[in-house]
Amino acid sequence: MITVTLTPNEVHLAASHGLLRRYEKLQGKRSDRIQKERSNWDNEIEGACAELAWAKHLGVYWSGVSDLKAKDGADMEVRWTKHEEGGLIIYPHDDDRSVFVLAKGFAPEFRFVGWLRGGDGKRIGRVTDFGFLVSANDLRSM
């Protein structure tokens, strides 16, 4: 497991990007994921903070909002969960070759608990109404 702590300035930067993502979602400009219910702002803000934390760990530039298909650092995609026992979500439209990293925790500190390629997640994940859910125990170690 890898733990990364963001500075207050880094949290501010990522949170600003999260707010913009939320605004775009409310305007109907980000329909990348099916949601069963309206989420709160935490999803976009904490998710953006987790992405920045991963990029910080890798020492690469984080592009923030840029576009829906942007990678979150070194051609990897970060998926954040607020659930301590939560797993990695892989959506049907996700690229089978892409690497997905599971982040847990809340700003300013995130734990990266494992990773998996999209195709593997679709093969071993539990089928849900939104895609595939892979237990953290089934992920490859960091």
mmCIF file with all atom_site columns, all heavy atoms in Angstrom, residues 50-61:
data_model
loop_
_atom_site.group_PDB
_atom_site.id
_atom_site.type_symbol
_atom_site.label_atom_id
_atom_site.label_alt_id
_atom_site.label_comp_id
_atom_site.label_asym_id
_atom_site.label_entity_id
_atom_site.label_seq_id
_atom_site.pdbx_PDB_ins_code
_atom_site.Cartn_x
_atom_site.Cartn_y
_atom_site.Cartn_z
_atom_site.occupancy
_atom_site.B_iso_or_equiv
_atom_site.pdbx_formal_charge
_atom_site.auth_seq_id
_atom_site.auth_comp_id
_atom_site.auth_asym_id
_atom_site.auth_atom_id
_atom_site.pdbx_PDB_model_num
ATOM 1  N N   . ALA A 1 50 ? -7.623 12.558 -4.889  1.00 0.00 ? 50 ALA A N   1
ATOM 2  C CA  . ALA A 1 50 ? -6.959 11.257 -5.002  1.00 0.00 ? 50 ALA A CA  1
ATOM 3  C C   . ALA A 1 50 ? -6.128 11.188 -6.285  1.00 0.00 ? 50 ALA A C   1
ATOM 4  O O   . ALA A 1 50 ? -5.008 10.675 -6.290  1.00 0.00 ? 50 ALA A O   1
ATOM 5  C CB  . ALA A 1 50 ? -7.987 10.130 -4.968  1.00 0.00 ? 50 ALA A CB  1
ATOM 6  N N   . GLU A 1 51 ? -6.663 11.712 -7.387  1.00 0.00 ? 51 GLU A N   1
ATOM 7  C CA  . GLU A 1 51 ? -5.911 11.731 -8.643  1.00 0.00 ? 51 GLU A CA  1
ATOM 8  C C   . GLU A 1 51 ? -4.629 12.548 -8.510  1.00 0.00 ? 51 GLU A C   1
ATOM 9  O O   . GLU A 1 51 ? -3.563 12.118 -8.969  1.00 0.00 ? 51 GLU A O   1
ATOM 10 C CB  . GLU A 1 51 ? -6.768 12.308 -9.765  1.00 0.00 ? 51 GLU A CB  1
ATOM 11 C CG  . GLU A 1 51 ? -7.918 11.433 -10.172 1.00 0.00 ? 51 GLU A CG  1
ATOM 12 C CD  . GLU A 1 51 ? -8.858 12.129 -11.132 1.00 0.00 ? 51 GLU A CD  1
ATOM 13 O OE1 . GLU A 1 51 ? -8.512 13.220 -11.661 1.00 0.00 ? 51 GLU A OE1 1
ATOM 14 O OE2 . GLU A 1 51 ? -9.956 11.590 -11.377 1.00 0.00 ? 51 GLU A OE2 1
ATOM 15 N N   . LEU A 1 52 ? -4.744 13.728 -7.895  1.00 0.00 ? 52 LEU A N   1
ATOM 16 C CA  . LEU A 1 52 ? -3.558 14.566 -7.713  1.00 0.00 ? 52 LEU A CA  1
ATOM 17 C C   . LEU A 1 52 ? -2.543 13.867 -6.806  1.00 0.00 ? 52 LEU A C   1
ATOM 18 O O   . LEU A 1 52 ? -1.333 13.917 -7.058  1.00 0.00 ? 52 LEU A O   1
ATOM 19 C CB  . LEU A 1 52 ? -3.938 15.931 -7.139  1.00 0.00 ? 52 LEU A CB  1
ATOM 20 C CG  . LEU A 1 52 ? -2.781 16.886 -6.861  1.00 0.00 ? 52 LEU A CG  1
ATOM 21 C CD1 . LEU A 1 52 ? -1.936 17.137 -8.101  1.00 0.00 ? 52 LEU A CD1 1
ATOM 22 C CD2 . LEU A 1 52 ? -3.298 18.201 -6.307  1.00 0.00 ? 52 LEU A CD2 1
ATOM 23 N N   . ALA A 1 53 ? -3.019 13.187 -5.781  1.00 0.00 ? 53 ALA A N   1
ATOM 24 C CA  . ALA A 1 53 ? -2.110 12.463 -4.883  1.00 0.00 ? 53 ALA A CA  1
ATOM 25 C C   . ALA A 1 53 ? -1.355 11.373 -5.651  1.00 0.00 ? 53 ALA A C   1
ATOM 26 O O   . ALA A 1 53 ? -0.149 11.175 -5.440  1.00 0.00 ? 53 ALA A O   1
ATOM 27 C CB  . ALA A 1 53 ? -2.885 11.849 -3.713  1.00 0.00 ? 53 ALA A CB  1
ATOM 28 N N   . TRP A 1 54 ? -2.032 10.673 -6.550  1.00 0.00 ? 54 TRP A N   1
ATOM 29 C CA  . TRP A 1 54 ? -1.370 9.629  -7.339  1.00 0.00 ? 54 TRP A CA  1
ATOM 30 C C   . TRP A 1 54 ? -0.313 10.243 -8.259  1.00 0.00 ? 54 TRP A C   1
ATOM 31 O O   . TRP A 1 54 ? 0.805  9.743  -8.353  1.00 0.00 ? 54 TRP A O   1
ATOM 32 C CB  . TRP A 1 54 ? -2.398 8.832  -8.134  1.00 0.00 ? 54 TRP A CB  1
ATOM 33 C CG  . TRP A 1 54 ? -1.781 7.727  -8.922  1.00 0.00 ? 54 TRP A CG  1
ATOM 34 C CD1 . TRP A 1 54 ? -1.711 7.633  -10.273 1.00 0.00 ? 54 TRP A CD1 1
ATOM 35 C CD2 . TRP A 1 54 ? -1.117 6.571  -8.410  1.00 0.00 ? 54 TRP A CD2 1
ATOM 36 N NE1 . TRP A 1 54 ? -1.056 6.486  -10.633 1.00 0.00 ? 54 TRP A NE1 1
ATOM 37 C CE2 . TRP A 1 54 ? -0.677 5.812  -9.511  1.00 0.00 ? 54 TRP A CE2 1
ATOM 38 C CE3 . TRP A 1 54 ? -0.860 6.098  -7.129  1.00 0.00 ? 54 TRP A CE3 1
ATOM 39 C CZ2 . TRP A 1 54 ? 0.012  4.615  -9.373  1.00 0.00 ? 54 TRP A CZ2 1
ATOM 40 C CZ3 . TRP A 1 54 ? -0.179 4.892  -6.980  1.00 0.00 ? 54 TRP A CZ3 1
ATOM 41 C CH2 . TRP A 1 54 ? 0.250  4.174  -8.087  1.00 0.00 ? 54 TRP A CH2 1
ATOM 42 N N   . ALA A 1 55 ? -0.670 11.333 -8.920  1.00 0.00 ? 55 ALA A N   1
ATOM 43 C CA  . ALA A 1 55 ? 0.296  12.010 -9.787  1.00 0.00 ? 55 ALA A CA  1
ATOM 44 C C   . ALA A 1 55 ? 1.494  12.506 -8.976  1.00 0.00 ? 55 ALA A C   1
ATOM 45 O O   . ALA A 1 55 ? 2.644  12.411 -9.431  1.00 0.00 ? 55 ALA A O   1
ATOM 46 C CB  . ALA A 1 55 ? -0.384 13.164 -10.521 1.00 0.00 ? 55 ALA A CB  1
ATOM 47 N N   . LYS A 1 56 ? 1.229  12.998 -7.778  1.00 0.00 ? 56 LYS A N   1
ATOM 48 C CA  . LYS A 1 56 ? 2.316  13.441 -6.905  1.00 0.00 ? 56 LYS A CA  1
ATOM 49 C C   . LYS A 1 56 ? 3.244  12.272 -6.587  1.00 0.00 ? 56 LYS A C   1
ATOM 50 O O   . LYS A 1 56 ? 4.471  12.409 -6.643  1.00 0.00 ? 56 LYS A O   1
ATOM 51 C CB  . LYS A 1 56 ? 1.735  14.035 -5.615  1.00 0.00 ? 56 LYS A CB  1
ATOM 52 C CG  . LYS A 1 56 ? 2.778  14.517 -4.629  1.00 0.00 ? 56 LYS A CG  1
ATOM 53 C CD  . LYS A 1 56 ? 2.118  15.118 -3.384  1.00 0.00 ? 56 LYS A CD  1
ATOM 54 C CE  . LYS A 1 56 ? 3.155  15.631 -2.401  1.00 0.00 ? 56 LYS A CE  1
ATOM 55 N NZ  . LYS A 1 56 ? 2.525  16.311 -1.256  1.00 0.00 ? 56 LYS A NZ  1
ATOM 56 N N   . HIS A 1 57 ? 2.668  11.131 -6.258  1.00 0.00 ? 57 HIS A N   1
ATOM 57 C CA  . HIS A 1 57 ? 3.474  9.947  -5.965  1.00 0.00 ? 57 HIS A CA  1
ATOM 58 C C   . HIS A 1 57 ? 4.358  9.574  -7.161  1.00 0.00 ? 57 HIS A C   1
ATOM 59 O O   . HIS A 1 57 ? 5.521  9.212  -7.000  1.00 0.00 ? 57 HIS A O   1
ATOM 60 C CB  . HIS A 1 57 ? 2.568  8.769  -5.597  1.00 0.00 ? 57 HIS A CB  1
ATOM 61 C CG  . HIS A 1 57 ? 3.265  7.460  -5.604  1.00 0.00 ? 57 HIS A CG  1
ATOM 62 N ND1 . HIS A 1 57 ? 4.205  7.111  -4.658  1.00 0.00 ? 57 HIS A ND1 1
ATOM 63 C CD2 . HIS A 1 57 ? 3.189  6.415  -6.468  1.00 0.00 ? 57 HIS A CD2 1
ATOM 64 C CE1 . HIS A 1 57 ? 4.672  5.902  -4.932  1.00 0.00 ? 57 HIS A CE1 1
ATOM 65 N NE2 . HIS A 1 57 ? 4.075  5.456  -6.024  1.00 0.00 ? 57 HIS A NE2 1
ATOM 66 N N   . LEU A 1 58 ? 3.792  9.658  -8.360  1.00 0.00 ? 58 LEU A N   1
ATOM 67 C CA  . LEU A 1 58 ? 4.536  9.292  -9.565  1.00 0.00 ? 58 LEU A CA  1
ATOM 68 C C   . LEU A 1 58 ? 5.510  10.377 -10.030 1.00 0.00 ? 58 LEU A C   1
ATOM 69 O O   . LEU A 1 58 ? 6.373  10.119 -10.862 1.00 0.00 ? 58 LEU A O   1
ATOM 70 C CB  . LEU A 1 58 ? 3.567  8.986  -10.710 1.00 0.00 ? 58 LEU A CB  1
ATOM 71 C CG  . LEU A 1 58 ? 2.649  7.788  -10.515 1.00 0.00 ? 58 LEU A CG  1
ATOM 72 C CD1 . LEU A 1 58 ? 1.686  7.675  -11.696 1.00 0.00 ? 58 LEU A CD1 1
ATOM 73 C CD2 . LEU A 1 58 ? 3.445  6.503  -10.340 1.00 0.00 ? 58 LEU A CD2 1
ATOM 74 N N   . GLY A 1 59 ? 5.315  11.601 -9.511  1.00 0.00 ? 59 GLY A N   1
ATOM 75 C CA  . GLY A 1 59 ? 6.162  12.713 -9.943  1.00 0.00 ? 59 GLY A CA  1
ATOM 76 C C   . GLY A 1 59 ? 5.821  13.193 -11.340 1.00 0.00 ? 59 GLY A C   1
ATOM 77 O O   . GLY A 1 59 ? 6.697  13.637 -12.088 1.00 0.00 ? 59 GLY A O   1
ATOM 78 N N   . VAL A 1 60 ? 4.528  13.096 -11.710 1.00 0.00 ? 60 VAL A N   1
ATOM 79 C CA  . VAL A 1 60 ? 4.094  13.533 -13.032 1.00 0.00 ? 60 VAL A CA  1
ATOM 80 C C   . VAL A 1 60 ? 3.065  14.656 -12.903 1.00 0.00 ? 60 VAL A C   1
ATOM 81 O O   . VAL A 1 60 ? 2.430  14.825 -11.856 1.00 0.00 ? 60 VAL A O   1
ATOM 82 C CB  . VAL A 1 60 ? 3.494  12.374 -13.860 1.00 0.00 ? 60 VAL A CB  1
ATOM 83 C CG1 . VAL A 1 60 ? 4.536  11.283 -14.070 1.00 0.00 ? 60 VAL A CG1 1
ATOM 84 C CG2 . VAL A 1 60 ? 2.252  11.800 -13.212 1.00 0.00 ? 60 VAL A CG2 1
ATOM 85 N N   . TYR A 1 61 ? 2.913  15.391 -13.976 1.00 0.00 ? 61 TYR A N   1
ATOM 86 C CA  . TYR A 1 61 ? 1.947  16.486 -14.024 1.00 0.00 ? 61 TYR A CA  1
ATOM 87 C C   . TYR A 1 61 ? 0.530  15.931 -14.025 1.00 0.00 ? 61 TYR A C   1
ATOM 88 O O   . TYR A 1 61 ? 0.219  14.986 -14.752 1.00 0.00 ? 61 TYR A O   1
ATOM 89 C CB  . TYR A 1 61 ? 2.182  17.325 -15.277 1.00 0.00 ? 61 TYR A CB  1
ATOM 90 C CG  . TYR A 1 61 ? 1.171  18.423 -15.463 1.00 0.00 ? 61 TYR A CG  1
ATOM 91 C CD1 . TYR A 1 61 ? 1.225  19.578 -14.701 1.00 0.00 ? 61 TYR A CD1 1
ATOM 92 C CD2 . TYR A 1 61 ? 0.146  18.290 -16.393 1.00 0.00 ? 61 TYR A CD2 1
ATOM 93 C CE1 . TYR A 1 61 ? 0.290  20.587 -14.867 1.00 0.00 ? 61 TYR A CE1 1
ATOM 94 C CE2 . TYR A 1 61 ? -0.799 19.290 -16.568 1.00 0.00 ? 61 TYR A CE2 1
ATOM 95 C CZ  . TYR A 1 61 ? -0.713 20.433 -15.801 1.00 0.00 ? 61 TYR A CZ  1
ATOM 96 O OH  . TYR A 1 61 ? -1.642 21.429 -15.961 1.00 0.00 ? 61 TYR A OH  1
#
